[in-house]
């Protein structure tokens, strides 16, 4: 599988600030997903994107599927302390091959929010 | 609430031991996956299975094997544990019908090999 390039690697921000992170790939994907992992837990799905150019929101979170299908970004507005965690992007190729169901992950963005 | 359950949260094993990590899902999912997570390296796919008794190698299968005798259970086996296999291991499942909805992950097993 392909490792995605996710940046930044870590962010240390104050409560109330907006956050932006992004993910790029040298290959196209048919689905982009964003996960959050809290300490001691497995990743949990935040947002899924299915179409190039798609912009999707989930509360204070907004994500976009890049028009080239090779990138995606996630924005968090007005951050709060419970936003702390590691955020992962993931790309999925699609059906047609069993390996198409496997997710390719970025290395994660570690977010720390101070009150 | 649907779940992926990993049998142990923490394990400490000795070098050379045979180690079994168990994962059970209650969602009747066809696909199951094993990842390892290391700081700075993200999640790397070890093996996955798309049906009972079927398995495919991921990106880092060396030193590992898997077993899927029943649809709900996917086991990761470290044939002879080594210190470089100290890591967080994450199991996940998904359904082909739910393609694009990603995975459901377990809470992870933190394995230390001494």
């Amino acid at each position: 599988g392909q490792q995605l390039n996710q940046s930044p690697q870590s962010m240390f921000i104050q409560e109330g600030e907006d956050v932006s992170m992004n993910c790029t790939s040298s290959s196209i994907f048919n689905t982009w997903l964003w996960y959050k992992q809290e300490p001691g837990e497995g990743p949990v799905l935040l947002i899924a994107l299915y179409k190039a150019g798609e912009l999707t929101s989930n509360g204070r979170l907004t994500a976009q599927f890049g028009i080239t299908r090779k990138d995606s970004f996630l924005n968090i507005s007005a951050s709060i302390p419970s936003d702390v965690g590691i955020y992962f992007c993931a790309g999925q190729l699609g059906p047609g091959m069993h390996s198409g169901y496997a997710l390719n992950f970025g290395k994660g963005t570690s977010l720390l929010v101070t009150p | 609430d649907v779940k992926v359950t990993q049998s142990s949260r923490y394990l400490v094993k000795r070098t050379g031991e045979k180690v079994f990590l168990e994962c059970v899902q209650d969602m009747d999912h066809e696909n199951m996956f094993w990842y390892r997570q290391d700081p700075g390296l993200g999640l790397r796919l070890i093996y996955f299975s798309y049906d009972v008794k079927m398995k495919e190698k991921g990106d880092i299968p060396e030193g590992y094997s898997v077993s899927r005798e029943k649809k709900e259970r996917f086991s990761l086996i470290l044939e002879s544990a080594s210190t470089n296999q100290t890591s967080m291991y994450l199991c996940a499942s998904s359904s082909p019908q739910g393609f694009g909805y990603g995975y459901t992950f377990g809470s992870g097993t933190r394995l230390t090999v001494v």
Side-chain angles (χ1 to χ4, degrees):
Chain A
Q2 182 181 32
Q3 189 98 57
L4 307 182
N5 300 310
Q6 185 173 349
S7 64
Q9 187 173 357
S10 61
M11 301 183 75
F12 187 71
I13 62 170
Q14 283 199 312
E15 184 176 2
E17 286 186 35
D18 296 343
V19 171
S20 185
M21 58 191 80
N22 68 78
C23 206
T24 62
S25 166
S26 58
S27 302
I28 63 171
F29 289 108
N30 292 316
T31 301
W32 281 91
L33 306 112
W34 286 91
Y35 284 85
K36 178 188 178 187
Q37 184 181 29
E38 297 187 359
E41 299 297 327
V44 173
L45 182 65
L46 296 174
I47 289 182
L49 302 152
Y50 307 110
K51 215 162 73 166
E54 179 183 358
L55 187 72
T56 297
S57 293
N58 178 7
R60 294 178 295 105
L61 277 61
T62 302
Q64 184 157 29
F65 192 144
I67 199 75
T68 65
R69 295 201 283 162
K70 292 183 178 182
D71 62 311
S72 178
F73 73 73
L74 174 71
N75 287 342
I76 305 172
S77 63
S79 58
I80 58 178
S82 62
D83 290 333
V84 163
I86 304 175
Y87 291 78
F88 290 100
C89 63
Q92 192 173 42
L93 279 171
M97 290 172 52
H98 291 299
S99 58
Y101 295 107
L103 291 180
N104 300 270
F105 284 91
K107 292 183 179 181
T109 296
S110 180
L111 179 64
L112 289 174
V113 181
T114 59
Chain B
D1 197 13
V2 294
K3 273 193 176 169
V4 175
T5 303
Q6 294 184 231
S7 54
S8 303
R9 292 298 295 264
Y10 300 94
L11 273 180
V12 180
K13 296 292 182 181
R14 294 196 179 277
T15 300
E17 275 193 77
K18 190 169 187 176
V19 181
F20 293 85
L21 303 184
E22 306 287 348
C23 176
V24 176
Q25 51 97 0
D26 64 1
M27 296 166 282
D28 201 35
H29 282 171
E30 289 81 358
N31 302 325
M32 295 189 75
F33 307 83
W34 276 105
Y35 284 83
R36 67 177 280 177
Q37 181 178 13
D38 301 287
L41 297 178
L43 280 70
R44 294 180 291 167
L45 181 64
I46 305 171
Y47 268 97
F48 68 99
S49 168
Y50 53 87
D51 203 351
V52 175
K53 296 193 186 295
M54 306 303 289
K55 61 185 179 184
E56 288 203 20
K57 293 180 181 179
D59 299 318
I60 52 165
E62 296 79 18
Y64 303 94
S65 62
V66 289
S67 172
R68 192 157 180 212
E69 296 296 319
K70 294 185 178 182
K71 189 176 186 181
E72 66 270 19
R73 187 180 295 271
F74 192 36
S75 303
L76 180 69
I77 304 157
L78 286 65
E79 297 290 343
S80 177
S82 63
T83 54
N84 64 11
Q85 292 178 309
T86 291
S87 187
M88 168 72 95
Y89 290 87
L90 289 163
C91 175
S93 71
S94 74
S95 168
Q97 286 70 37
F99 166 73
Y101 290 93
Y103 300 167
T104 301
F105 280 92
S107 296
T109 295
R110 187 165 292 282
L111 173 67
T112 302
V113 182
V114 297

